[in-house]
Amino acid sequence: FFHGDELHALGQRARTQTLHQSRLHHNDLSFLIAGYWRAVHALSGAAPSEAPRWHDDAEIRRGISIPSWIAAHNIAQLTAAYLLGRLDEAAALGEATLPMVQAIFGFVAEAELRFYDALTRLARGAPAGEAAGPWRAVVDEHLAKLTAWAALCPANLAQRELLVRAELARHEGRLDDAAELYDKAIEAAAAADGRVHDHALAHELAGAHHAARGRRGVAWAYLSRARRLYAQWGADRKVA
């Protein structure tokens, strides 16, 4: 899921593995995989009728006892919530998961958390009635981590660092800088093997940026490409 595998195929694998692990009474693992399937379903819309418990997030959470796996479950749901525009839900998941960051320190899940929590925070802005300092400190920490990791593994993370920088520039009103950073993120995502979800998101955010500036023709070009890439990923609910 985190690597951008095609969602419909991923959902089928998750269904098979959840049922298999459940029969073996590997309850934590079966519920963890069920949580990934739930995120896949949210984006793809595909739902196996023989496993209705997979729809129940509360039951999944009760079924996982390992802290790092609870964090991974939350991050999968955060990813889906952000991509579907459910920003309040994504923000709540980020707030609930950040205290668990030591449990996933150095793992792929930490990079996912920092990326999507940063994007969520920048999309929502600083909470009303609260000082912006703590909010900005979290964004800066996320960006510093992503920058360090992108230097070590640009094929996986360069586009993500650039997207967070683009969103930060947009938030600060540096609109031309943001447009340039979105384009750089698109180029980096195109060069990253198999990261179609990042490529789609980069086009979507660039299109939204140009639309907000009244550049409808430019925005349409970016958003049309984002739609095709999301369809390629299997995120049918992004293109419905």
Side-chain angles (χ1 to χ4, degrees):
F1 178 71
F2 292 150
H3 294 287
D5 290 1
E6 201 279 330
L7 291 175
H8 292 279
L10 188 60
Q12 290 297 318
R13 295 201 302 272
R15 179 182 65 178
T16 299
Q17 284 298 312
T18 298
L19 295 173
H20 176 66
Q21 297 299 332
S22 181
R23 291 188 195 104
L24 295 174
H25 304 290
H26 296 166
N27 292 330
D28 274 285
L29 184 54
S30 69
F31 277 108
L32 175 65
I33 299 171
Y36 283 125
W37 179 87
R38 188 176 186 275
V40 168
H41 162 64
L43 290 162
S44 71
S49 59
E50 66 270 27
R53 75 173 186 170
W54 292 3
H55 296 280
D56 189 343
D57 187 58
E59 183 174 351
I60 292 171
R61 290 176 189 279
R62 287 194 298 270
I64 303 174
S65 61
I66 301 171
S68 60
W69 291 8
I70 295 170
H73 169 76
N74 286 352
I75 295 161
Q77 310 317 308
L78 162 59
T79 300
Y82 170 78
L83 290 173
L84 292 170
R86 302 197 301 253
L87 296 181
D88 289 346
E89 178 184 344
L93 285 161
E95 290 289 351
T97 311
L98 280 174
M100 307 178 195
V101 72
Q102 288 302 316
I104 55 172
F105 181 78
F107 289 93
V108 171
E110 183 187 359
E112 295 290 317
L113 171 61
R114 293 190 181 279
F115 177 59
Y116 284 106
D117 189 62
L119 292 181
T120 299
R121 288 171 183 271
L122 289 165
R124 295 176 82 237
E130 297 183 19
W135 172 89
R136 179 58 187 265
V138 175
V139 172
D140 287 345
E141 181 182 357
H142 290 336
L143 182 55
K145 288 280 190 178
L146 290 167
T147 300
W149 292 331
L152 295 172
C153 190
N156 287 337
L157 292 165
Q159 70 276 10
R160 294 189 161 196
E161 176 203 349
L162 289 163
L163 275 179
V164 173
R165 290 191 181 281
E167 284 286 273
L168 181 59
R170 177 196 57 76
H171 175 76
E172 293 178 340
R174 295 182 286 111
L175 303 184
D176 289 338
D177 289 347
E180 182 178 353
L181 286 162
Y182 289 125
D183 284 341
K184 288 181 177 179
I186 288 169
E187 292 174 6
D193 185 34
R195 311 290 292 192
V196 64
H197 57 328
D198 289 348
H199 201 191
L201 178 58
H203 278 87
E204 180 183 11
L205 293 177
H209 176 65
H210 286 289
R213 300 179 74 182
R215 299 173 174 177
R216 291 186 295 176
V218 176
W220 181 87
Y222 282 106
L223 294 173
S224 296
R225 179 61 173 154
R227 183 183 177 87
R228 292 193 295 272
L229 288 164
Y230 278 126
Q232 180 183 334
W233 186 33
D236 295 347
R237 288 188 171 174
K238 288 288 292 181
V239 300

